Amino acid sequence: MVFRKLPGVSASGMGLRLSQKFVFLLFLSGLVTLCFGALFFLPDSVRLKRIFLSKTETQPVTVGSGSENDAREHLKRPKDQDHPRGMASVKGETSTKLKSLSRKPSVSHEATEERLAGGKAQEDLTLPRSKTESASEKATSADHAASSDTFSYVKFKRCLLKPPLGSDGGKPSDPQTNERREKVKEMMKFAWDNYKQYAWGKNELRPLTKNGHIGNMFGGLRGASIIDSLDTLYIMGLMDEYKDAKEWVQTNLDLNSNGEASLFEVNIRYVGGLLSAYYLTGEELFKSKVLELGEKLLPAFNTPTGIPRGVINLGSGTSWSWGWASAGSSILAEFGTLHLEFVHLTELSNNPIYTEKVMNIRKLLNKIEKPHGLYPNFLSPVSGNWVQHHVSIGGLGDSFYEYLIKSYLMSDKTDDDAKKMYYSALEAIEANLVQKSPGGLTYMAEWRGGILDHKMGHLACFSGGMIGIGADDGAAEKRQHYLDLAAEITHTCHESYTRSATKLGPEAFRFDSGAEATATRLSDRYYILRPEVIESYMYMWRLTHDPKYREWGWEAVEALEQHCRVEFGFSGIRDVYTMTVSHDNMQQSFFLSETLKYLYLLFSDDDLLPLEDWVFNTEAHPLPIIRKICLQDEATQDKTVSE
Ligand code: DMJ
């Protein structure tokens, strides 16, 4: 804009008439307001914005009880360490430089570098431009030491209905089933021994090149296969191997790493694995490690809404959204898959902050408007609004739904909000996504702003088991229907296996252009040792005792042996439709924690990790049902005895 000099008016303000001064001032103040307002529309990463807005912007949306201030109070941090929420700490401030825009593959699979292990399809794995506020909520170890004493392992054991490993380690009486179970145990030992020999301490084994893989999902943490295997080794009675794993945790698990981790992956594998190891064995080592790690994850929640971002630097506590997630959004399956582990962190530490963090997420999700009752996959951690209307029961959405029903079950059926949210989500899923193919197969389609994509991912095959375990607590008139739906989906997923040459299922299969449960694109044909189909067999076996589920599980064992077993471990394959397989040279840690564990449970008696006492996190780590009343009674009784 050009300002013209008015005739007879000097350039200095002194020469202006009163009305002119007024207009000028009005204009100036308008300009200032406009500039300030514009700051709100800048991306989070812009320095000016952080300087001017950090204090206000980072006030959490406490959508219910447990305000952030309360939460901070529980940390009992000395006052002088407090920052107003989100005011960048020195650490955070110095690390706000833009990250190098390198591609960040999140799954250890060369052929499928564009996917997270959780199935998160990624167009671009660059770290995003929006970094959040830095760590400001670190509780000291001393705080935890002081507060964690109150958990009693003995009382916890007394509140279980059954012994965790059953009367005889779950050994089935039927000789053929026992033989099959022994075979699975041998597969675990083989996978483990090779990992130990060639990749010890690394995250995964590369079985063809006989070396280890570290990757970049765990922020510099090592030994993912060890942590993921602890409970599997223990329940299989592989005690020498379990002892080696425990010793590694004792002497080598270094939690002081300083790298960028996926909050979701660290939570489901490391937090979940250590929690299970503790609950199964009572070894204090696992408890202290998991509490130390839990603390390091807390800064990820320092966002305006309390919805965590996907990536966290475990050293500085700085967090980011994934570069590929639209508009700096957080992913439903990631921030929605923390509940079980965080509630247990509170149990063990007696520190309510973990539960408060996940309850805050829950409350926001409960409150927010949902298109057709569905939960889209992308949510802004700044505004708390959906960013895109893509809904999927497979990658990006999957375990959010799983954690709703499991939160209810793990709370000893007291968490009514979780229950309501689960059943209304399921209703919306049935109304909008569940489809029947021309050939009569029931499947879960994906939803893109109202348009159906007739594709089902391998990841979505967990939903057979999920709907199965939730059937009994649904409305009375729906129970049988849910069990039938669970069986139909499991059947469809089995079909995706039987329709391939290798009898292993593809990453995604379609129901359009004449396809029925087969992959049509080359890029969907791979199998990376995923567990979801076998997971559903296991649950459906426990719920129905229909022998077909054990038969289907055995078919999978044979296919794994024939196509995925190589000389030095197990490997994923690039194309399930060809018998001359090409291996991807990666033994994923979830093969040890999930695929082999679910197979072993499928061929065991139901008293091995009985479902009356345990829920499995999304990485198949068993977590006990929390029986508050029993635990309180136990505590009262103890008190009375000691008085
Ligand atoms: C596992 O890490 C978990 O099951 C996760 O929820 C989804 N995907 C992988 C295995 O496929």
mmCIF file with all atom_site columns, all heavy atoms in Angstrom, residues 274-289:
data_model
loop_
_atom_site.group_PDB
_atom_site.id
_atom_site.type_symbol
_atom_site.label_atom_id
_atom_site.label_alt_id
_atom_site.label_comp_id
_atom_site.label_asym_id
_atom_site.label_entity_id
_atom_site.label_seq_id
_atom_site.pdbx_PDB_ins_code
_atom_site.Cartn_x
_atom_site.Cartn_y
_atom_site.Cartn_z
_atom_site.occupancy
_atom_site.B_iso_or_equiv
_atom_site.pdbx_formal_charge
_atom_site.auth_seq_id
_atom_site.auth_comp_id
_atom_site.auth_asym_id
_atom_site.auth_atom_id
_atom_site.pdbx_PDB_model_num
ATOM 1   N N   . LEU A 1 274 ? 7.689  -55.453 28.913 1.00 0.00 ? 274 LEU A N   1
ATOM 2   C CA  . LEU A 1 274 ? 8.247  -55.412 30.279 1.00 0.00 ? 274 LEU A CA  1
ATOM 3   C C   . LEU A 1 274 ? 7.145  -55.599 31.322 1.00 0.00 ? 274 LEU A C   1
ATOM 4   O O   . LEU A 1 274 ? 7.336  -56.284 32.340 1.00 0.00 ? 274 LEU A O   1
ATOM 5   C CB  . LEU A 1 274 ? 8.985  -54.089 30.500 1.00 0.00 ? 274 LEU A CB  1
ATOM 6   C CG  . LEU A 1 274 ? 10.298 -53.936 29.715 1.00 0.00 ? 274 LEU A CG  1
ATOM 7   C CD1 . LEU A 1 274 ? 10.780 -52.490 29.727 1.00 0.00 ? 274 LEU A CD1 1
ATOM 8   C CD2 . LEU A 1 274 ? 11.386 -54.871 30.259 1.00 0.00 ? 274 LEU A CD2 1
ATOM 9   N N   . LEU A 1 275 ? 5.972  -55.008 31.047 1.00 0.00 ? 275 LEU A N   1
ATOM 10  C CA  . LEU A 1 275 ? 4.858  -55.181 31.997 1.00 0.00 ? 275 LEU A CA  1
ATOM 11  C C   . LEU A 1 275 ? 4.492  -56.659 32.119 1.00 0.00 ? 275 LEU A C   1
ATOM 12  O O   . LEU A 1 275 ? 4.360  -57.193 33.232 1.00 0.00 ? 275 LEU A O   1
ATOM 13  C CB  . LEU A 1 275 ? 3.623  -54.407 31.515 1.00 0.00 ? 275 LEU A CB  1
ATOM 14  C CG  . LEU A 1 275 ? 3.602  -52.888 31.724 1.00 0.00 ? 275 LEU A CG  1
ATOM 15  C CD1 . LEU A 1 275 ? 2.415  -52.265 31.000 1.00 0.00 ? 275 LEU A CD1 1
ATOM 16  C CD2 . LEU A 1 275 ? 3.572  -52.522 33.213 1.00 0.00 ? 275 LEU A CD2 1
ATOM 17  N N   . SER A 1 276 ? 4.345  -57.318 30.968 1.00 0.00 ? 276 SER A N   1
ATOM 18  C CA  . SER A 1 276 ? 3.981  -58.741 31.006 1.00 0.00 ? 276 SER A CA  1
ATOM 19  C C   . SER A 1 276 ? 5.037  -59.554 31.721 1.00 0.00 ? 276 SER A C   1
ATOM 20  O O   . SER A 1 276 ? 4.715  -60.433 32.525 1.00 0.00 ? 276 SER A O   1
ATOM 21  C CB  . SER A 1 276 ? 3.865  -59.302 29.600 1.00 0.00 ? 276 SER A CB  1
ATOM 22  O OG  . SER A 1 276 ? 2.732  -58.818 29.002 1.00 0.00 ? 276 SER A OG  1
ATOM 23  N N   . ALA A 1 277 ? 6.293  -59.264 31.413 1.00 0.00 ? 277 ALA A N   1
ATOM 24  C CA  . ALA A 1 277 ? 7.378  -60.016 32.047 1.00 0.00 ? 277 ALA A CA  1
ATOM 25  C C   . ALA A 1 277 ? 7.290  -59.845 33.564 1.00 0.00 ? 277 ALA A C   1
ATOM 26  O O   . ALA A 1 277 ? 7.460  -60.801 34.327 1.00 0.00 ? 277 ALA A O   1
ATOM 27  C CB  . ALA A 1 277 ? 8.721  -59.541 31.524 1.00 0.00 ? 277 ALA A CB  1
ATOM 28  N N   . TYR A 1 278 ? 6.983  -58.633 33.999 1.00 0.00 ? 278 TYR A N   1
ATOM 29  C CA  . TYR A 1 278 ? 6.876  -58.422 35.445 1.00 0.00 ? 278 TYR A CA  1
ATOM 30  C C   . TYR A 1 278 ? 5.684  -59.188 36.035 1.00 0.00 ? 278 TYR A C   1
ATOM 31  O O   . TYR A 1 278 ? 5.814  -59.903 37.035 1.00 0.00 ? 278 TYR A O   1
ATOM 32  C CB  . TYR A 1 278 ? 6.746  -56.934 35.767 1.00 0.00 ? 278 TYR A CB  1
ATOM 33  C CG  . TYR A 1 278 ? 6.463  -56.723 37.243 1.00 0.00 ? 278 TYR A CG  1
ATOM 34  C CD1 . TYR A 1 278 ? 7.414  -57.071 38.193 1.00 0.00 ? 278 TYR A CD1 1
ATOM 35  C CD2 . TYR A 1 278 ? 5.233  -56.244 37.675 1.00 0.00 ? 278 TYR A CD2 1
ATOM 36  C CE1 . TYR A 1 278 ? 7.150  -56.937 39.562 1.00 0.00 ? 278 TYR A CE1 1
ATOM 37  C CE2 . TYR A 1 278 ? 4.967  -56.097 39.028 1.00 0.00 ? 278 TYR A CE2 1
ATOM 38  C CZ  . TYR A 1 278 ? 5.927  -56.448 39.964 1.00 0.00 ? 278 TYR A CZ  1
ATOM 39  O OH  . TYR A 1 278 ? 5.657  -56.338 41.300 1.00 0.00 ? 278 TYR A OH  1
ATOM 40  N N   . TYR A 1 279 ? 4.537  -59.047 35.404 1.00 0.00 ? 279 TYR A N   1
ATOM 41  C CA  . TYR A 1 279 ? 3.352  -59.696 35.984 1.00 0.00 ? 279 TYR A CA  1
ATOM 42  C C   . TYR A 1 279 ? 3.485  -61.216 35.989 1.00 0.00 ? 279 TYR A C   1
ATOM 43  O O   . TYR A 1 279 ? 2.977  -61.879 36.884 1.00 0.00 ? 279 TYR A O   1
ATOM 44  C CB  . TYR A 1 279 ? 2.088  -59.275 35.234 1.00 0.00 ? 279 TYR A CB  1
ATOM 45  C CG  . TYR A 1 279 ? 1.594  -57.903 35.646 1.00 0.00 ? 279 TYR A CG  1
ATOM 46  C CD1 . TYR A 1 279 ? 1.554  -56.842 34.740 1.00 0.00 ? 279 TYR A CD1 1
ATOM 47  C CD2 . TYR A 1 279 ? 1.161  -57.660 36.958 1.00 0.00 ? 279 TYR A CD2 1
ATOM 48  C CE1 . TYR A 1 279 ? 1.093  -55.592 35.120 1.00 0.00 ? 279 TYR A CE1 1
ATOM 49  C CE2 . TYR A 1 279 ? 0.709  -56.407 37.345 1.00 0.00 ? 279 TYR A CE2 1
ATOM 50  C CZ  . TYR A 1 279 ? 0.671  -55.372 36.427 1.00 0.00 ? 279 TYR A CZ  1
ATOM 51  O OH  . TYR A 1 279 ? 0.221  -54.134 36.812 1.00 0.00 ? 279 TYR A OH  1
ATOM 52  N N   . LEU A 1 280 ? 4.173  -61.753 34.998 1.00 0.00 ? 280 LEU A N   1
ATOM 53  C CA  . LEU A 1 280 ? 4.300  -63.214 34.962 1.00 0.00 ? 280 LEU A CA  1
ATOM 54  C C   . LEU A 1 280 ? 5.344  -63.724 35.950 1.00 0.00 ? 280 LEU A C   1
ATOM 55  O O   . LEU A 1 280 ? 5.188  -64.801 36.518 1.00 0.00 ? 280 LEU A O   1
ATOM 56  C CB  . LEU A 1 280 ? 4.670  -63.691 33.547 1.00 0.00 ? 280 LEU A CB  1
ATOM 57  C CG  . LEU A 1 280 ? 3.553  -63.629 32.503 1.00 0.00 ? 280 LEU A CG  1
ATOM 58  C CD1 . LEU A 1 280 ? 4.088  -63.960 31.120 1.00 0.00 ? 280 LEU A CD1 1
ATOM 59  C CD2 . LEU A 1 280 ? 2.410  -64.583 32.863 1.00 0.00 ? 280 LEU A CD2 1
ATOM 60  N N   . THR A 1 281 ? 6.397  -62.961 36.133 1.00 0.00 ? 281 THR A N   1
ATOM 61  C CA  . THR A 1 281 ? 7.532  -63.496 36.911 1.00 0.00 ? 281 THR A CA  1
ATOM 62  C C   . THR A 1 281 ? 7.706  -62.855 38.280 1.00 0.00 ? 281 THR A C   1
ATOM 63  O O   . THR A 1 281 ? 8.362  -63.425 39.143 1.00 0.00 ? 281 THR A O   1
ATOM 64  C CB  . THR A 1 281 ? 8.855  -63.271 36.146 1.00 0.00 ? 281 THR A CB  1
ATOM 65  O OG1 . THR A 1 281 ? 9.109  -61.851 36.084 1.00 0.00 ? 281 THR A OG1 1
ATOM 66  C CG2 . THR A 1 281 ? 8.791  -63.837 34.737 1.00 0.00 ? 281 THR A CG2 1
ATOM 67  N N   . GLY A 1 282 ? 7.187  -61.650 38.457 1.00 0.00 ? 282 GLY A N   1
ATOM 68  C CA  . GLY A 1 282 ? 7.384  -60.952 39.726 1.00 0.00 ? 282 GLY A CA  1
ATOM 69  C C   . GLY A 1 282 ? 8.793  -60.388 39.874 1.00 0.00 ? 282 GLY A C   1
ATOM 70  O O   . GLY A 1 282 ? 9.162  -59.917 40.959 1.00 0.00 ? 282 GLY A O   1
ATOM 71  N N   . GLU A 1 283 ? 9.593  -60.397 38.813 1.00 0.00 ? 283 GLU A N   1
ATOM 72  C CA  . GLU A 1 283 ? 10.961 -59.870 38.889 1.00 0.00 ? 283 GLU A CA  1
ATOM 73  C C   . GLU A 1 283 ? 10.940 -58.345 38.948 1.00 0.00 ? 283 GLU A C   1
ATOM 74  O O   . GLU A 1 283 ? 10.507 -57.687 37.993 1.00 0.00 ? 283 GLU A O   1
ATOM 75  C CB  . GLU A 1 283 ? 11.764 -60.294 37.648 1.00 0.00 ? 283 GLU A CB  1
ATOM 76  C CG  . GLU A 1 283 ? 12.044 -61.764 37.540 1.00 0.00 ? 283 GLU A CG  1
ATOM 77  C CD  . GLU A 1 283 ? 13.194 -62.211 38.427 1.00 0.00 ? 283 GLU A CD  1
ATOM 78  O OE1 . GLU A 1 283 ? 13.805 -61.349 39.099 1.00 0.00 ? 283 GLU A OE1 1
ATOM 79  O OE2 . GLU A 1 283 ? 13.460 -63.417 38.450 1.00 0.00 ? 283 GLU A OE2 1
ATOM 80  N N   . GLU A 1 284 ? 11.444 -57.794 40.043 1.00 0.00 ? 284 GLU A N   1
ATOM 81  C CA  . GLU A 1 284 ? 11.438 -56.338 40.232 1.00 0.00 ? 284 GLU A CA  1
ATOM 82  C C   . GLU A 1 284 ? 12.153 -55.590 39.109 1.00 0.00 ? 284 GLU A C   1
ATOM 83  O O   . GLU A 1 284 ? 11.824 -54.459 38.775 1.00 0.00 ? 284 GLU A O   1
ATOM 84  C CB  . GLU A 1 284 ? 12.090 -55.974 41.575 1.00 0.00 ? 284 GLU A CB  1
ATOM 85  C CG  . GLU A 1 284 ? 11.234 -56.325 42.779 1.00 0.00 ? 284 GLU A CG  1
ATOM 86  C CD  . GLU A 1 284 ? 9.918  -55.531 42.819 1.00 0.00 ? 284 GLU A CD  1
ATOM 87  O OE1 . GLU A 1 284 ? 9.968  -54.296 42.666 1.00 0.00 ? 284 GLU A OE1 1
ATOM 88  O OE2 . GLU A 1 284 ? 8.846  -56.153 42.987 1.00 0.00 ? 284 GLU A OE2 1
ATOM 89  N N   . LEU A 1 285 ? 13.152 -56.256 38.542 1.00 0.00 ? 285 LEU A N   1
ATOM 90  C CA  . LEU A 1 285 ? 13.918 -55.653 37.452 1.00 0.00 ? 285 LEU A CA  1
ATOM 91  C C   . LEU A 1 285 ? 12.998 -55.117 36.346 1.00 0.00 ? 285 LEU A C   1
ATOM 92  O O   . LEU A 1 285 ? 13.163 -53.994 35.861 1.00 0.00 ? 285 LEU A O   1
ATOM 93  C CB  . LEU A 1 285 ? 14.850 -56.735 36.876 1.00 0.00 ? 285 LEU A CB  1
ATOM 94  C CG  . LEU A 1 285 ? 15.394 -56.541 35.472 1.00 0.00 ? 285 LEU A CG  1
ATOM 95  C CD1 . LEU A 1 285 ? 16.421 -55.426 35.456 1.00 0.00 ? 285 LEU A CD1 1
ATOM 96  C CD2 . LEU A 1 285 ? 16.029 -57.840 34.974 1.00 0.00 ? 285 LEU A CD2 1
ATOM 97  N N   . PHE A 1 286 ? 12.017 -55.942 35.964 1.00 0.00 ? 286 PHE A N   1
ATOM 98  C CA  . PHE A 1 286 ? 11.133 -55.540 34.871 1.00 0.00 ? 286 PHE A CA  1
ATOM 99  C C   . PHE A 1 286 ? 10.267 -54.358 35.288 1.00 0.00 ? 286 PHE A C   1
ATOM 100 O O   . PHE A 1 286 ? 9.970  -53.479 34.497 1.00 0.00 ? 286 PHE A O   1
ATOM 101 C CB  . PHE A 1 286 ? 10.261 -56.720 34.430 1.00 0.00 ? 286 PHE A CB  1
ATOM 102 C CG  . PHE A 1 286 ? 11.060 -57.898 33.923 1.00 0.00 ? 286 PHE A CG  1
ATOM 103 C CD1 . PHE A 1 286 ? 10.825 -59.190 34.399 1.00 0.00 ? 286 PHE A CD1 1
ATOM 104 C CD2 . PHE A 1 286 ? 12.057 -57.713 32.982 1.00 0.00 ? 286 PHE A CD2 1
ATOM 105 C CE1 . PHE A 1 286 ? 11.558 -60.272 33.929 1.00 0.00 ? 286 PHE A CE1 1
ATOM 106 C CE2 . PHE A 1 286 ? 12.809 -58.790 32.512 1.00 0.00 ? 286 PHE A CE2 1
ATOM 107 C CZ  . PHE A 1 286 ? 12.558 -60.066 32.988 1.00 0.00 ? 286 PHE A CZ  1
ATOM 108 N N   . LYS A 1 287 ? 9.880  -54.373 36.552 1.00 0.00 ? 287 LYS A N   1
ATOM 109 C CA  . LYS A 1 287 ? 9.043  -53.271 37.030 1.00 0.00 ? 287 LYS A CA  1
ATOM 110 C C   . LYS A 1 287 ? 9.833  -51.961 37.022 1.00 0.00 ? 287 LYS A C   1
ATOM 111 O O   . LYS A 1 287 ? 9.354  -50.937 36.539 1.00 0.00 ? 287 LYS A O   1
ATOM 112 C CB  . LYS A 1 287 ? 8.528  -53.566 38.438 1.00 0.00 ? 287 LYS A CB  1
ATOM 113 C CG  . LYS A 1 287 ? 7.576  -52.502 38.948 1.00 0.00 ? 287 LYS A CG  1
ATOM 114 C CD  . LYS A 1 287 ? 6.901  -52.907 40.226 1.00 0.00 ? 287 LYS A CD  1
ATOM 115 C CE  . LYS A 1 287 ? 7.461  -52.123 41.377 1.00 0.00 ? 287 LYS A CE  1
ATOM 116 N NZ  . LYS A 1 287 ? 6.856  -52.486 42.655 1.00 0.00 ? 287 LYS A NZ  1
ATOM 117 N N   . SER A 1 288 ? 11.049 -51.994 37.544 1.00 0.00 ? 288 SER A N   1
ATOM 118 C CA  . SER A 1 288 ? 11.776 -50.727 37.589 1.00 0.00 ? 288 SER A CA  1
ATOM 119 C C   . SER A 1 288 ? 12.110 -50.233 36.187 1.00 0.00 ? 288 SER A C   1
ATOM 120 O O   . SER A 1 288 ? 12.057 -49.041 35.916 1.00 0.00 ? 288 SER A O   1
ATOM 121 C CB  . SER A 1 288 ? 13.011 -50.811 38.482 1.00 0.00 ? 288 SER A CB  1
ATOM 122 O OG  . SER A 1 288 ? 13.879 -51.781 37.971 1.00 0.00 ? 288 SER A OG  1
ATOM 123 N N   . LYS A 1 289 ? 12.403 -51.154 35.285 1.00 0.00 ? 289 LYS A N   1
ATOM 124 C CA  . LYS A 1 289 ? 12.703 -50.729 33.906 1.00 0.00 ? 289 LYS A CA  1
ATOM 125 C C   . LYS A 1 289 ? 11.470 -50.099 33.253 1.00 0.00 ? 289 LYS A C   1
ATOM 126 O O   . LYS A 1 289 ? 11.558 -49.073 32.584 1.00 0.00 ? 289 LYS A O   1
ATOM 127 C CB  . LYS A 1 289 ? 13.154 -51.926 33.059 1.00 0.00 ? 289 LYS A CB  1
ATOM 128 C CG  . LYS A 1 289 ? 14.558 -52.390 33.348 1.00 0.00 ? 289 LYS A CG  1
ATOM 129 C CD  . LYS A 1 289 ? 15.596 -51.440 32.767 1.00 0.00 ? 289 LYS A CD  1
ATOM 130 C CE  . LYS A 1 289 ? 17.009 -51.974 32.992 1.00 0.00 ? 289 LYS A CE  1
ATOM 131 N NZ  . LYS A 1 289 ? 18.047 -50.956 32.735 1.00 0.00 ? 289 LYS A NZ  1
#
